[in-house]
Amino acid sequence: MALFFERIGCPPWRKGSRPDPIDHAGYGLATLSNGSTGRWRICQRCMKNDLASHATSIWRRAHHLPTSFVCPIHGSLLTIAMPSHLELGKRFVLPEQTIGLTAIGGKELTSNQMDLVRLTTLGIDVLEDRHPPATTGTNRSALFSGLANRGLLTATGKLRRVQFVEEINHRYGFLARHPDYAAALSSKGIDILQRNLLHPEGPLSAVHNLLLIDWLFGTWEAFQQRCMWETTMNDFTPFDGTLQQNAIRDHHRQTCLDFISAESVATRSRFFRAAPTSLRWLLRYDEDWFNSCLPIMRKRRAQSKLF
């Protein structure tokens, strides 16, 4: 299960600086298996069949993926299981020893059965993939290519925030009440997603990454093909966030240097009148360089008396 989260580029744990394997890093079984200590799902029909055949039931990996809503065997909605918190850390809990609850927002889920089947299939395809995981940078470049194909990026590579919010709410609004998706699809969650997309090192959650893959590519195979293209053509990455930020920084720096060379007395007030956008950007994102290049000119006080 650890490779599942590695493949989508967002492991739910921190490796740290030590090169220890994930299974030796001290994480709990639930985190390594489910990516979450609170995600427990069961299929009632699977549990009944297990009890009839083996007198006990088992947990299935395919039921605990972030996008698992439907049992791949029976096609029925999975039930949210609630293990006893008092017994969870003492002994291994079997499915029949949990309290089954009906999923919140059941009517919305039932009316979107095809979407739930597609999302479940996506998760299982990721789980059963045997190819080595792509790098996080490759996954990010593939997602940005998908956003560009949807017309959600400007000519300079910036995200069209209003259209992005409208599209994702329209497509996945039926999951807004689901306990595993409520935080990710809230206004705050989508705002965090947009900020992390714009930031080159911004981490994406497993839920957000899987929804973007489903929305922009439809299948895991199509996303993998795009990642393969990005890996092959890595010399040309038009939507690389780092390159874009460096180009913006160099543009504003050059504007400042051109102003200094053209003015006999270069002051910040004159620079503001000549290039207000560059002055604001440099003060906000490149203040150290701006202070060293165009420091604030302070008038000396006239000495009022000799002694």
Side-chain angles (χ1 to χ4, degrees), residues 102-110 174 177-179:
T102 303
I104 300 176
K107 293 182 179 180
E108 291 86 345
L109 296 182
T110 305
F174 67 96
R177 295 177 57 195
H178 194 282

Short mmCIF file of all heavy atoms in Angstrom, two decimals, residues 102-110 174 177-179:
data_model
loop_
_atom_site.label_atom_id
_atom_site.label_comp_id
_atom_site.label_asym_id
_atom_site.label_seq_id
_atom_site.Cartn_x
_atom_site.Cartn_y
_atom_site.Cartn_z
N THR A 102 -23.95 3.94 7.93
CA THR A 102 -24.28 4.32 6.56
C THR A 102 -23.50 5.57 6.19
O THR A 102 -23.37 6.49 6.98
CB THR A 102 -25.78 4.59 6.41
OG1 THR A 102 -26.49 3.43 6.82
CG2 THR A 102 -26.13 4.92 4.96
N ALA A 103 -22.96 5.60 4.99
CA ALA A 103 -22.15 6.74 4.56
C ALA A 103 -22.98 8.02 4.57
O ALA A 103 -24.14 8.03 4.16
CB ALA A 103 -21.59 6.51 3.15
N ILE A 104 -22.38 9.11 5.06
CA ILE A 104 -23.05 10.40 5.06
C ILE A 104 -23.25 10.86 3.62
O ILE A 104 -22.35 10.75 2.79
CB ILE A 104 -22.24 11.43 5.86
CG1 ILE A 104 -22.07 10.96 7.31
CG2 ILE A 104 -22.87 12.80 5.82
CD1 ILE A 104 -21.20 11.85 8.14
N GLY A 105 -24.43 11.42 3.35
CA GLY A 105 -24.71 11.85 1.98
C GLY A 105 -25.04 10.69 1.08
O GLY A 105 -24.66 10.68 -0.09
N GLY A 106 -25.75 9.68 1.61
CA GLY A 106 -26.04 8.48 0.85
C GLY A 106 -26.82 8.71 -0.42
O GLY A 106 -26.55 8.10 -1.44
N LYS A 107 -27.79 9.62 -0.38
CA LYS A 107 -28.60 9.88 -1.58
C LYS A 107 -27.75 10.46 -2.70
O LYS A 107 -27.87 10.09 -3.87
CB LYS A 107 -29.74 10.83 -1.23
CG LYS A 107 -30.78 10.24 -0.29
CD LYS A 107 -31.91 11.22 -0.02
CE LYS A 107 -32.96 10.62 0.91
NZ LYS A 107 -34.06 11.56 1.19
N GLU A 108 -26.85 11.41 -2.35
CA GLU A 108 -25.98 11.99 -3.36
C GLU A 108 -25.06 10.93 -3.97
O GLU A 108 -24.82 10.92 -5.19
CB GLU A 108 -25.14 13.13 -2.76
CG GLU A 108 -25.94 14.38 -2.38
CD GLU A 108 -26.52 14.28 -0.99
OE1 GLU A 108 -26.57 13.15 -0.44
OE2 GLU A 108 -26.95 15.31 -0.46
N LEU A 109 -24.56 10.03 -3.14
CA LEU A 109 -23.68 8.99 -3.65
C LEU A 109 -24.44 8.02 -4.55
O LEU A 109 -23.94 7.61 -5.60
CB LEU A 109 -23.04 8.24 -2.48
CG LEU A 109 -22.12 9.04 -1.56
CD1 LEU A 109 -21.54 8.14 -0.49
CD2 LEU A 109 -21.02 9.71 -2.35
N THR A 110 -25.64 7.64 -4.15
CA THR A 110 -26.42 6.70 -4.95
C THR A 110 -26.76 7.25 -6.32
O THR A 110 -26.74 6.52 -7.33
CB THR A 110 -27.72 6.33 -4.20
OG1 THR A 110 -27.40 5.83 -2.90
CG2 THR A 110 -28.50 5.28 -4.97
N PHE A 174 -20.99 16.48 -5.27
CA PHE A 174 -21.78 15.43 -4.61
C PHE A 174 -20.99 14.74 -3.50
O PHE A 174 -21.56 14.01 -2.69
CB PHE A 174 -22.26 14.40 -5.63
CG PHE A 174 -21.16 13.57 -6.25
CD1 PHE A 174 -20.85 12.32 -5.74
CD2 PHE A 174 -20.46 14.05 -7.34
CE1 PHE A 174 -19.85 11.56 -6.31
CE2 PHE A 174 -19.45 13.29 -7.92
CZ PHE A 174 -19.15 12.04 -7.41
N ARG A 177 -20.21 16.25 1.24
CA ARG A 177 -20.67 15.83 2.56
C ARG A 177 -20.04 14.52 3.02
O ARG A 177 -20.27 14.07 4.14
CB ARG A 177 -22.19 15.69 2.57
CG ARG A 177 -22.94 17.00 2.34
CD ARG A 177 -24.44 16.75 2.29
NE ARG A 177 -24.91 16.10 3.51
CZ ARG A 177 -26.10 15.51 3.62
NH1 ARG A 177 -26.91 15.46 2.58
NH2 ARG A 177 -26.46 14.94 4.77
N HIS A 178 -19.26 13.90 2.16
CA HIS A 178 -18.61 12.65 2.54
C HIS A 178 -17.50 12.97 3.55
O HIS A 178 -16.72 13.90 3.36
CB HIS A 178 -18.03 11.96 1.30
CG HIS A 178 -17.63 10.54 1.55
ND1 HIS A 178 -16.47 10.20 2.19
CD2 HIS A 178 -18.25 9.38 1.24
CE1 HIS A 178 -16.38 8.89 2.26
NE2 HIS A 178 -17.46 8.36 1.69
N PRO A 179 -17.40 12.20 4.64
CA PRO A 179 -16.43 12.54 5.69
C PRO A 179 -14.98 12.57 5.22
O PRO A 179 -14.17 13.33 5.75
CB PRO A 179 -16.65 11.45 6.75
CG PRO A 179 -17.38 10.36 6.04
CD PRO A 179 -18.21 11.03 4.99
#
